Amino acid sequence: MIKTNHDYQNLQGSYLFSTIAKKVAAYGESHPDRAGQVIRLGIGDVTQPIAPSIIRAMHEAVDEMADAATFKGYAPDLGYEFLRSAIADEYKSRGCSIAADEVFVSDGAKCDSGNIQEIFSRDAKIAVCDPVYPVYVDSNVMAGRSGKWDPARQCYENFIYMPCTEENGFAPELPEQEPDVIYLCFPNNPTGATASKSQLQEWVDYANKIHAVILYDAAYEAYISEPDVPHSIYECDGARTCAIEIRSFSKNAGFTGVRLGFTVIPKELKDADGITLHSLWARRHGTKYNGAPYIIQKAGLAVYSPEGQKEIREQVAYYMNNAKIIYDGLKKAGYSVSGGVNAPYIWLKTPDGMTSWDFFDDLLERLNIVGTPGSGFGPHGEGYFRLTAFGSYEKTKEAVDRIIAGRI
Ligand code: PLP
């Protein structure tokens, strides 16, 4: 008898982007004359090519593979020392004390944020924002940590949802029920919201007090433009005893297709029995992961060079100029808008109480623009819509002009 773990079939988030793709394809088939005019501001994928100095580093690493003296086989499963040290130095430059051997290099933040739950017990209570990047909930449900499905709340009993609404500035409040694991993501996908240093400090103090762990997803750290917004949770006092931080090279350096990320676990972070989470993740990572490729880790190192830094800052500025165009244009058209200042995502309220999906259909059919329905990120995303700044300047401008001209 084949017995499967099919709990996660009840999850809607995983279907979000395939549903969007199907709807856009169906629209293209039924309107062949307009298919070419569709502008996609839905998926959070970059469009700018990888910066020249990083490409050069990749080529050099490829050439090393052709020479027996410099050839590399399996990479160390936790990452090459050269990259881990560069990452630790970057933390130091922000006043955070992180040692190179507290950095675990990986193939990206999606895998790390999806896999890290493996080190926690089955009955751990999980707090997540609502709306939320779907990987956090889905990966816990897939691991069998969900508890029973609660049809009234439309969620599993082991989850604590923390609503992020207009009223709280899309930043979650401390939950009433005590969690064991808290997922936070700032700058946030999908809302583009950030936490100030004092807000984040409150979370760190709370986690230390109740002895919970914060899984801090800082995939969009490079997009922060305001001085009071922390780039790392380790800028907060006491974070070394309660926080794991996950980062990515995808959005800051265009590695979405190249794949590189890392997770930081300070050695002071221990479970109730005094076992370090660092040792648990090292064991798990070493068992299931054979290391990010040397060529890609060399490319990652080039990101930290002065030239690499200059080039990637220009790319981020390019996307953030798009974000400003979207933000200002939507405001001009009379929408209620947030995000877009420290993040490449713009979060808008659908007009006249339209549902997120009705607004999606309307935008696609009337203006040929694709965005992402907020309800796909959680119940409190209903009535909201996400647009991304990762398109080209020209297409972004054209989309915004259409929205201003065709305001519902
Ligand atoms: N974390 C968040 C919040 C994201 O939005 C994304 C991608 O969209 C990721 C992680 C995935 O990053 P990566 O490309 O490194 O897997």
Side-chain angles (χ1 to χ4, degrees):
M1 193 192 299
I2 299 174
K3 294 184 177 177
T4 64
N5 165 21
H6 50 259
D7 278 355
Y8 52 86
Q9 285 205 320
N10 288 335
L11 295 164
Q12 57 155 349
S14 40
Y15 299 124
L16 178 62
F17 290 102
S18 58
T19 307
I20 291 173
K22 274 186 210 144
K23 275 183 174 263
V24 175
Y27 178 77
E29 273 165 32
S30 56
H31 301 80
D33 52 320
R34 303 188 75 185
Q37 293 169 31
V38 171
I39 299 179
R40 290 161 207 270
L41 301 180
I43 291 183
D45 195 0
V46 293
T47 51
Q48 294 284 297
I50 291 175
S53 66
I54 301 169
I55 291 289
R56 270 200 306 281
M58 253 192 265
H59 278 296
E60 283 162 18
V62 168
D63 289 342
E64 284 184 58
M65 289 296 193
D67 184 335
T70 49
F71 168 78
K72 303 280 184 301
Y74 285 125
D77 45 49
L78 305 185
Y80 279 103
E81 182 60 29
F82 61 77
L83 182 57
R84 299 170 93 194
S85 294
I87 293 167
D89 287 347
E90 202 264 340
Y91 274 108
K92 210 174 289 159
S93 74
R94 293 206 179 275
C96 308
S97 118
I98 296 297
D101 67 356
E102 293 175 319
V103 176
F104 298 82
V105 176
S106 73
D107 65 357
K110 186 176 196 177
C111 289
D112 281 355
S113 61
N115 290 330
I116 193 78
Q117 44 73 28
E118 288 183 26
I119 65 173
F120 300 106
S121 77
R122 268 291 170 87
D123 59 352
K125 287 258 181 291
I126 313 290
V128 289
C129 292
D130 171 18
V132 68
Y133 177 55
V135 171
Y136 312 149
V137 174
D138 293 17
S139 57
N140 276 284
V141 174
M142 286 172 183
R145 191 175 290 103
S146 54
K148 288 204 180 73
W149 176 251
D150 179 349
R153 285 200 305 148
Q154 280 292 296
C155 75
Y156 287 99
E157 64 182 358
N158 278 349
F159 290 98
I160 301 164
Y161 281 88
M162 305 183 291
C164 296
T165 61
E166 210 173 341
E167 289 70 43
N168 60 25
F170 303 104
E173 285 146 47
L174 301 180
E176 280 167 22
Q177 208 187 337
E178 272 192 13
D180 302 301
V181 177
I182 304 160
Y183 285 85
L184 293 178
C185 170
F186 294 115
N188 188 263
N189 176 16
T191 66
T194 49
S196 67
K197 178 93 182 278
S198 58
Q199 280 174 313
L200 201 54
Q201 185 65 56
E202 207 182 322
W203 278 101
V204 168
D205 294 343
Y206 170 73
N208 275 323
K209 191 170 125 216
I210 65 167
H211 200 213
V213 61
I214 297 174
L215 303 179
Y216 193 70
D217 186 337
Y220 297 95
E221 163 282 318
Y223 289 82
I224 294 169
S225 65
E226 293 182 321
D228 182 42
V229 178
H231 286 247
S232 164
I233 196 163
Y234 301 117
E235 289 176 43
C236 295
D237 293 336
R240 286 186 56 88
T241 51
C242 68
I244 290 175
E245 183 160 292
I246 297 168
R247 287 220 199 161
S248 165
F249 288 75
S250 285
K251 312 297 165 97
N252 63 339
F255 279 35
T256 51
V258 169
R259 311 303 307 144
L260 193 64
F262 62 89
T263 287
V264 175
I265 309 188
K267 290 189 180 157
E268 284 98 309
L269 183 46
K270 294 180 181 155
D271 76 1
D273 297 318
I275 296 168
T276 66
L277 274 56
H278 183 281
S279 65
L280 295 175
W281 186 241
R283 181 78 172 80
R284 185 272 172 213
H285 206 55
T287 301
K288 292 197 180 177
Y289 190 62
N290 248 343
Y294 175 75
I295 297 162
I296 307 305
Q297 292 197 49
K298 275 289 188 177
L301 181 65
V303 168
Y304 293 100
S305 71
E307 210 181 345
Q309 284 291 299
K310 181 174 169 289
E311 289 169 347
I312 66 166
R313 283 200 188 113
E314 282 166 10
Q315 288 191 344
V316 167
Y318 176 92
Y319 294 131
M320 288 313 281
N321 182 49
N322 288 348
K324 186 165 167 36
I325 289 169
I326 300 172
Y327 185 97
D328 290 348
L330 290 169
K331 280 254 167 204
K332 193 172 164 193
Y335 287 92
S336 167
V337 201
S338 59
V341 176
N342 297 294
Y345 295 120
I346 288 88
W347 190 240
L348 65 110
K349 204 169 180 171
T350 59
D352 308 322
M354 281 173 99
T355 68
S356 301
W357 277 111
D358 282 350
F359 187 70
F360 173 93
D361 290 335
D362 187 71
L363 214 56
L364 176 62
E365 285 159 22
R366 248 174 6 93
L367 304 180
N368 300 156
I369 296 168
V370 181
T372 310
S375 55
F377 298 100
H380 280 86
E382 180 57 277
Y384 286 89
F385 202 74
R386 189 192 78 174
L387 293 174
T388 87
F390 286 125
S392 70
Y393 164 79
E394 292 74 19
K395 291 221 163 124
T396 303
K397 176 90 178 49
E398 163 69 20
V400 171
D401 287 346
R402 285 186 204 169
I403 291 172
I404 292 172
R407 167 77 162 96
I408 300 155

